[in-house]
Amino acid sequence: THTHTHHTMGVTAALWLAVGAMGAPSVKVTADVGMCIFEADTPAHAVSQVSTGAVYGVFDQVVVASCPGGEVSPLTVLEFIPVGPRNVSTQWTQTVGKMVDVAYTSAGRIVARGLTDAQLAGLPVQTEVIPVLDRPMVPLNPESEMAYKLKAAKAKLVAFGANPIIERMIEEITPDRLELVLNYLTGVSSAIKSRNSIHPDGVVAAEWYKSELTKYGFDVELESFKDGYFPNVIATKKGVEDPDTIVVVGAHLDSRGRASLSETDPAPGANDDGSGAQALLQIARVISETGADFKYTIVLGAWGGEEQGLVGSRAYATKCKDRGDKILAMIQADMIAYRGEGEGIQCGFPNRYADVLLTDLGMSLLNTYTPEIETCYTSACCSDHQSFYEQGFAATQYFERCGSIIDPQYHNEGDVVRRTGFDLTGQLLSITRGYAATAFTLADFNG
């Protein structure tokens, strides 16, 4: 944990401005961890007011900031995840409140002090784990060079429509190639039983994934970020005109069953997030087979430790920020295969922790290249794009539906390909193609 000293009076005043205008806010000052926790009635208003200064996290209505005179200590936000009809948070709050050291509680949310691996492993399935940053969030700059480039990409799309070469490229993504990757990752054609961050088969999956990306001509590194967790797989294809500008295309390679951390439990993770992980390999394969070049550098990131609180992507995004990387955009595919009964093909974009410009461009690209997809917003929260958003980079996520999670096998050993609702030839195929078209467009296809 890093310790920071800040002049926080201005930030505290901004927080009070954000919540004070809407009546008396609920405020907790947890002096023992050197953090102030505020709760506002309108999250959008609060975010707009507190996006600069020593703010360490904005979690809907809850804002976490440093307190004057205190040293920052580890906090973790735990959120209740509504899944289908199992959407009652009262029992969850009571259960989790007895398991952890509670700093603050609000509806469906607990801020915990010093969460241990043992506590993490025992948390209920419907728990989103979001460690609070050990440094202040970096605000997005709407007037930056990167924002200008995103606006230019949108203007080009509006003016000229679909690029016919990109249209042909994404047609090379076919259901049989999707299933080939998923069968390996989920143990159908391999001996992999789980890709849990601490399961020995996770290392096997990462090594195989590296070999596939290497085969497709990418420069690939395994980057360790925490002892006992399998590493991030980072694959790079340098841009031919402006290699210093980077597009990060991500998915998480790890999976989980009912336990967040387990060296033994089966966790095939076909949808969460084999569906996203296979998409990165489709993108790499199509680039390789077509010989495509791009103006900007493409980095494919298959993250470890997502299920334990974005651990791998947080480490990578922090490193990118510290070394001054010029990241134009980060897109994340997480759970893109499940289709609810009676629903059309959908793709939801996050209603928080996402850049507005990039989300709008992503929606427009899907509408252009994959018009069969209904684009919308989702309340499903907190995948690896958040790690980049927190560092001031434009980031967004692609998710399988409008609204919340309804996959009944979410965080369960039943998350396999061959089951009701796993729509490989419709939902998964369409979003994978749209995701690839987004990556090719953002990297500025040089054709």
Side-chain angles (χ1 to χ4, degrees), residues 331-382:
I331 56 175
Q332 170 85 355
D334 191 352
M335 297 179 64
I336 57 173
Y338 187 81
R339 185 175 174 184
E341 184 178 357
E343 294 184 345
I345 297 174
Q346 303 174 354
C347 183
F349 289 79
N351 61 6
R352 53 175 167 152
Y353 311 131
D355 177 56
V356 175
L357 283 176
L358 181 58
T359 297
D360 176 67
L361 177 58
M363 286 183 167
S364 297
L365 286 164
L366 291 195
N367 294 338
T368 300
Y369 287 97
T370 49
E372 69 275 14
I373 299 176
E374 175 191 357
T375 56
C376 51
Y377 290 93
T378 177
S379 57
C381 165
C382 314

Side-chain angles (χ1 to χ4, degrees), residues 54-305:
V55 176
Y56 285 69
V58 180
F59 307 93
D60 274 357
Q61 294 92 337
V62 173
V63 176
V64 180
S66 57
C67 288
E71 289 191 353
V72 176
S73 297
L75 292 177
T76 302
V77 175
L78 307 174
E79 293 190 358
F80 173 74
I81 306 171
V83 180
R86 297 175 291 161
N87 57 3
V88 179
S89 64
T90 305
Q91 184 178 353
W92 175 90
T93 303
Q94 294 172 347
T95 300
V96 175
K98 296 175 181 176
M99 298 173 62
V100 301
D101 184 5
V102 177
Y104 186 73
T105 303
S106 65
R109 185 179 290 107
I110 288 175
V111 183
R113 303 179 181 92
L115 192 71
T116 67
D117 278 352
Q119 290 170 328
L120 180 65
L123 291 172
V125 170
Q126 289 178 263
T127 306
E128 187 75 56
V129 179
I130 320 165
V132 175
L133 278 176
D134 63 353
R135 58 170 69 186
M137 290 179 66
V138 179
L140 288 161
N141 179 4
E143 303 302 323
S144 68
E145 176 191 358
M146 299 298 110
Y148 172 79
K149 288 180 177 179
L150 289 176
K151 292 173 185 176
K154 175 64 181 290
K156 183 178 179 180
L157 180 68
V158 171
F160 299 105
N163 183 322
I165 301 177
I166 291 179
E167 287 183 313
R168 291 196 292 272
M169 288 171 71
I170 65 175
E171 287 176 1
E172 298 300 316
I173 299 172
T174 55
D176 60 313
R177 301 307 292 260
L178 273 61
E179 189 166 19
L180 196 65
V181 175
L182 284 168
N183 282 346
Y184 188 89
L185 290 177
T186 61
V188 175
S189 61
S190 71
I192 293 173
K193 303 299 182 187
S194 169
R195 302 189 311 279
N196 190 284
S197 295
I198 63 171
H199 196 286
D201 288 353
V203 177
V204 175
E207 292 283 0
W208 176 82
Y209 206 87
K210 177 186 177 183
S211 69
E212 290 294 290
L213 289 166
T214 302
K215 180 175 69 178
Y216 296 137
F218 280 69
D219 295 325
V220 191
E221 299 290 338
L222 297 179
E223 296 194 2
S224 297
F225 54 87
K226 182 174 181 177
D227 289 346
Y229 283 42
F230 74 76
N232 292 330
V233 186
I234 307 297
T236 304
K237 179 178 174 60
K238 285 287 186 182
V240 295
E241 291 184 35
D242 182 3
D244 291 338
T245 297
I246 301 165
V247 174
V248 181
V249 184
H252 69 89
L253 188 57
D254 66 311
S255 65
R256 60 165 286 181
R258 296 192 67 81
S260 174
L261 282 171
S262 175
E263 296 177 323
T264 57
D265 289 353
N271 189 27
D272 187 13
D273 183 28
S275 62
Q278 67 77 30
L280 301 193
L281 292 186
Q282 307 307 326
I283 289 169
R285 176 181 61 81
V286 170
I287 290 172
S288 174
E289 292 177 354
T290 61
D293 282 320
F294 300 88
K295 181 177 181 178
Y296 306 135
T297 293
I298 295 178
V299 171
L300 304 179
W303 319 114

